[in-house]
Amino acid sequence: NAGVTQTPKFQVLKTGQSMTLQCAQDMNHEYMSWYRQDPGMGLRLIHYSVGAGITDQGEVPNGYNVSRSTTEDFPLRLLSAAPSQTSVYFCATLPYQRGYGYTFGSGTRLTVV
Amino acid sequence: AQKVTQAQTEISVVEKEDVTLDCVYETRDTTYYLFWYKQPPSGELVFLIRRNSFDEQNEISGRYSWNFQKSTSSFNFTITASQVVDSAVYFCALSEDRSGNTPLVFGKGTRLSVIA
């Protein structure tokens, strides 16, 4: 099992460009989420999904879109990148049975210039 | 709304000292889960422990121990005989149990430096 796979690991974008951060999991976890990590801010929830076809906003959703067409994939789209979106992005998954720990991907370091 | 506070931004200790990382949480739910994660310099997030709100037993795992006190809404983490490899950022997190929607809310983290 690969667990949670995030691609790419590093990315540099110019202001205004769009891109998609990929998150794929092979554990059949129902719950998937995206966080961003900024210095001194901890991890903040962007969007999450409790299953295919269902998504919801987290604490900092502006500037990001998500969709969940399959259980395995939960891509995060930046429609028009801004320097404020420079951050490290983590994808996390959780099985529906409560009481398990979240599994995190290895992160994507994004720089917007 | 749920909130997690880690008041200690940075802690520095000498190797073999004991160190306690504080975590205070706020929630209106009676059912919730508390977590600790470790983020070493390599950047990945490593799951350390999960505790549900109905289990107030303290837990020990090797040099790690956790003290959960509902009366003070705290879930503190102690490392005994610290080692250089313990140097990392440690995050406390809370998940409320609401019909399957369980976003994880993190504290801002405590950076622990263990000096040889």
Side-chain angles (χ1 to χ4, degrees):
Chain A
N1 285 350
V4 180
T5 302
Q6 286 187 239
T7 55
K9 293 192 183 303
F10 301 95
Q11 183 71 48
V12 179
L13 285 180
K14 294 183 178 179
T15 297
Q17 285 186 318
S18 62
M19 80 159 294
T20 299
L21 279 62
Q22 301 291 347
C23 176
Q25 53 106 354
D26 60 359
M27 300 172 289
N28 204 33
H29 286 179
E30 294 82 1
Y31 180 90
M32 298 185 74
S33 55
W34 277 102
Y35 289 85
R36 60 176 289 173
Q37 183 179 17
D38 303 294
M41 299 296 293
L43 285 88
R44 293 181 292 170
L45 181 67
I46 304 172
H47 286 284
Y48 65 99
S49 169
V50 299
I54 306 169
T55 64
D56 207 345
Q57 297 182 351
E59 179 185 356
V60 288
N62 292 341
Y64 307 95
N65 276 359
V66 292
S67 60
R68 183 92 180 271
S69 56
T70 66
T71 299
E72 294 78 21
D73 299 297
F74 191 44
L76 179 71
R77 298 182 184 86
L78 283 71
L79 301 179
S80 179
S84 61
Q85 294 179 304
T86 294
S87 187
V88 179
Y89 292 84
F90 288 97
C91 179
T93 72
L94 182 73
Y96 215 70
Q97 306 96 317
R98 294 183 181 80
Y100 288 80
Y102 287 69
T103 301
F104 281 83
S106 57
T108 296
R109 184 174 293 275
L110 175 68
T111 302
V112 183
V113 297
Chain B
Q2 51 186 332
K3 183 180 179 182
V4 176
T5 302
Q6 295 180 257
Q8 304 149 309
T9 305
E10 295 190 30
I11 300 175
S12 184
V13 299
V14 176
E15 201 171 24
K16 297 184 184 178
E17 286 185 346
D18 299 347
V19 58
T20 296
L21 310 183
D22 297 333
C23 173
V24 174
Y25 63 91
E26 296 176 27
T27 176
R28 284 177 284 189
D29 280 9
T30 56
T31 304
Y32 51 89
Y33 291 91
L34 294 163
F35 300 79
W36 276 95
Y37 281 86
K38 174 182 180 180
Q39 187 175 44
S42 53
E44 74 272 23
L45 284 154
V46 179
F47 168 72
L48 296 178
I49 189 173
R50 164 200 51 83
R51 171 68 67 206
N52 75 55
S53 53
F54 295 109
D55 183 1
E56 286 194 73
Q57 267 195 318
N58 291 333
E59 182 153 340
I60 298 174
S61 177
R63 295 184 297 106
Y64 295 171
S65 62
W66 290 270
N67 183 347
F68 176 30
Q69 292 195 338
K70 287 178 77 170
S71 60
T72 56
S73 298
S74 64
F75 187 44
N76 296 337
F77 172 33
T78 297
I79 302 174
T80 303
S82 60
Q83 299 176 1
V84 173
V85 294
D86 296 326
S87 297
V89 180
Y90 291 86
F91 292 98
C92 181
L94 167 69
S95 175
E96 293 176 339
D97 190 352
R98 285 186 202 154
S99 315
N101 295 341
T102 54
L104 197 60
V105 173
F106 284 83
K108 294 185 177 181
T110 297
R111 181 178 300 277
L112 174 65
S113 298
V114 181
I115 303 166

